[in-house]
Amino acid sequence: EPEVTQTPSHQVTQMGQEVILRCVPISNHLYFYWYRQILGQKVEFLVSFYNNEISEKSEIFDDQFSVERPDGSNFTLKIRSTKLEDSAMYFCASSVSGSYNSPLHFGNGTRLTVT
Amino acid sequence: AQSVTQLDSQVPVFEEAPVELRCNYSSSVSVYLFWYVQYPNQGLQLLLKYLSGSTLVKGINGFEAEFNKSQTSFHLRKPSVHISDTAEYFCAVTDILTGGGNKLTFGTGTQLKVEL
């Protein structure tokens, strides 16, 4: 069964550094998402992306964050200047459509540790 | 804003025993409800969802959940668990009127540990 793949599985970075988290969504999916989970807290919506633009974003997704689909297969999340509080598990997801009937398929996550 | 409460952070249970994982949500409007499971070192996988119709929904791996609008609950149940059900379970909700498509609000998760 096709999967959403995320790389790397674990990323350690120093505060203030830029980091790029990579995702390869399922090939026929059109909607892409990033969620994150700070340790011990809820999984939180960050952003959704469709047709090469952001369709919705949360208040967490400030100017330090950006998303891009640089080619036909990758979907990336960039954090420009990481802070300690950005340490979390970041999940990429994709779906065929944006409908509630179209389930999200999640990747295994990237654990980001900011030191 | 929408919120989801999963009161039990951990639920230990013996194999073949029944289990119920609790989920309550806050909303005064119509919602869609979901349960996701995360096995160790894997991503989140959809177990089941309630969109409309029968309040008892059946999902994969023998799980079911019941939507109770008056109690704003969506508890997950399984009559007889297996060791392979050990995982983290997340309840999620989206507000039909204000939630866009797949913008989900998740609970903090319940770790189900099945013991022999």
Side-chain angles (χ1 to χ4, degrees):
Chain A
E1 186 178 328
E3 292 180 340
V4 174
T5 56
Q6 289 186 245
T7 54
S9 57
H10 192 186
Q11 173 93 43
V12 181
T13 189
Q14 288 191 325
M15 196 167 51
Q17 295 295 304
E18 175 183 285
V19 68
I20 297 176
L21 309 182
R22 301 181 193 280
C23 169
V24 179
I26 295 173
S27 61
N28 65 332
H29 286 191
L30 301 177
Y31 288 75
F32 314 114
Y33 312 82
W34 284 100
Y35 282 77
R36 78 170 186 192
Q37 184 183 27
I38 295 171
L39 191 62
Q41 298 185 27
K42 303 179 183 211
V43 177
E44 302 170 291
F45 169 81
L46 291 179
V47 66
S48 58
F49 189 87
Y50 168 70
N51 200 25
N52 278 323
E53 59 184 33
I54 290 173
S55 46
E56 192 162 3
K57 60 183 181 179
S58 71
E59 57 273 11
I60 302 167
F61 195 88
D62 61 21
D63 291 344
Q64 290 300 309
F65 291 88
S66 63
V67 288
E68 195 180 26
R69 189 154 162 83
D71 51 44
S73 59
N74 289 285
F75 178 53
T76 61
L77 174 70
K78 184 195 291 186
I79 309 175
R80 286 190 185 80
S81 178
T82 50
K83 305 192 264 294
L84 293 175
E85 54 264 36
D86 293 327
S87 294
M89 181 74 91
Y90 288 81
F91 292 105
C92 174
S94 67
S95 61
V96 172
S97 78
S99 158
Y100 304 108
N101 265 320
S102 180
L104 292 179
H105 292 256
F106 283 86
N108 289 353
T110 293
R111 181 167 296 286
L112 176 66
T113 303
V114 182
T115 61
Chain B
Q2 196 59 258
S3 72
V4 176
T5 302
Q6 292 181 249
L7 284 172
D8 306 305
S9 59
Q10 290 188 22
V11 173
V13 62
F14 288 110
E15 195 173 34
E16 296 184 8
V19 71
E20 179 178 83
L21 306 184
R22 296 180 292 168
C23 172
N24 289 87
Y25 64 93
S26 68
S27 177
S28 60
V29 297
S30 296
V31 293
Y32 294 143
L33 295 150
F34 307 81
W35 274 98
Y36 281 82
V37 60
Q38 185 180 26
Y39 298 104
N41 301 314
Q42 294 186 30
L44 297 162
Q45 180 184 355
L46 181 65
L47 258 186
L48 50 78
K49 62 188 176 194
Y50 171 78
L51 302 182
S52 64
S54 172
T55 56
L56 182 66
V57 292
K58 294 189 186 296
I60 61 172
N61 301 339
F63 283 92
E64 63 181 33
E66 183 147 24
F67 170 56
N68 187 319
K69 190 174 181 178
S70 62
Q71 296 190 8
T72 60
S73 68
F74 191 55
H75 300 331
L76 181 71
R77 297 193 292 256
K78 186 168 182 178
S80 175
V81 294
H82 189 267
I83 204 91
S84 60
D85 292 323
T86 294
E88 183 128 25
Y89 292 79
F90 293 92
C91 182
V93 62
T94 188
D95 188 315
I96 293 173
L97 293 181
T98 62
N102 276 307
K103 180 185 172 186
L104 301 177
T105 299
F106 283 87
T108 49
T110 298
Q111 179 68 41
L112 175 64
K113 184 166 177 175
V114 181
E115 300 165 353
L116 292 171

